[in-house]
Amino acid sequence: MFDKLSDPRDVILHEGRVPIRHRYTAGVAGEAFFRALKDRGEFLASRCESCGITYCPARLFCERCFAGPLQANVTVGPQGTVLSFTVGWTGVEGERLDEPLAIGLIRLDGADTVLVHFLVEAEELVTGLRVEPRFLPRAKRTGSMLDLQGFRPLRT
């Protein structure tokens, strides 16, 4: 039963369902980040004084030098820069989308890390594009990343 397989065709498939439930919590820093997003429409970050990295979303410990605990007490953005992007025509279930979906890596002003989120209202996407957030109306926010509808080109 625990022999090492050398040929992938030797795999035995047992179809069925495994009844597993789980709950993911955002943690202390994540809770502060989502509360600021919901209540104030702000991006809350944490800064590592040891190595100088500003994390957004906020982190409890530095992922580079392992210093901590960090404080989720720095507001960054709201504007940022698109560092990379992709455009897809396929949904998460493999279905063809009627309209393309653009997703970008956005570094908010004052942050060293990036957020992955939708790019909206953009006629042309390029790296280096300056963007601003488009939030749901305050009354409709729930404390999720989807309180932010996406980033749109900065209006001048």
Side-chain angles (χ1 to χ4, degrees), residues 41-139:
E42 293 181 344
F43 297 101
L44 199 58
S46 51
R47 181 167 174 77
C48 176
E49 297 302 329
S50 297
C51 66
I53 300 296
T54 300
Y55 291 96
C56 182
R59 312 285 203 286
L60 191 56
F61 291 91
C62 181
E63 297 172 0
R64 300 195 182 168
C65 74
F66 303 109
L70 305 179
Q71 299 298 312
N73 60 0
V74 179
T75 301
V76 296
Q79 299 171 354
T81 304
V82 174
L83 300 185
S84 184
F85 65 90
T86 189
V87 178
W89 286 89
T90 306
V92 294
E93 300 295 328
E95 75 281 10
R96 175 94 173 148
L97 300 175
D98 294 332
E99 296 290 325
L101 186 63
I103 299 173
L105 295 178
I106 294 89
R107 183 172 49 219
L108 295 174
D109 296 347
D112 295 304
T113 58
V114 296
L115 290 176
V116 177
H117 216 295
F118 300 112
L119 297 169
V120 296
E121 301 176 24
E123 293 180 20
E124 183 179 333
L125 292 172
V126 294
T127 57
L129 180 68
R130 296 286 296 155
V131 292
E132 63 184 358
R134 186 177 80 184
F135 289 101
L136 285 174
R138 188 176 192 171

Side-chain angles (χ1 to χ4, degrees), residues 24-32 34 58:
Y24 175 80
T25 63
V28 174
E31 167 94 13
F34 288 119

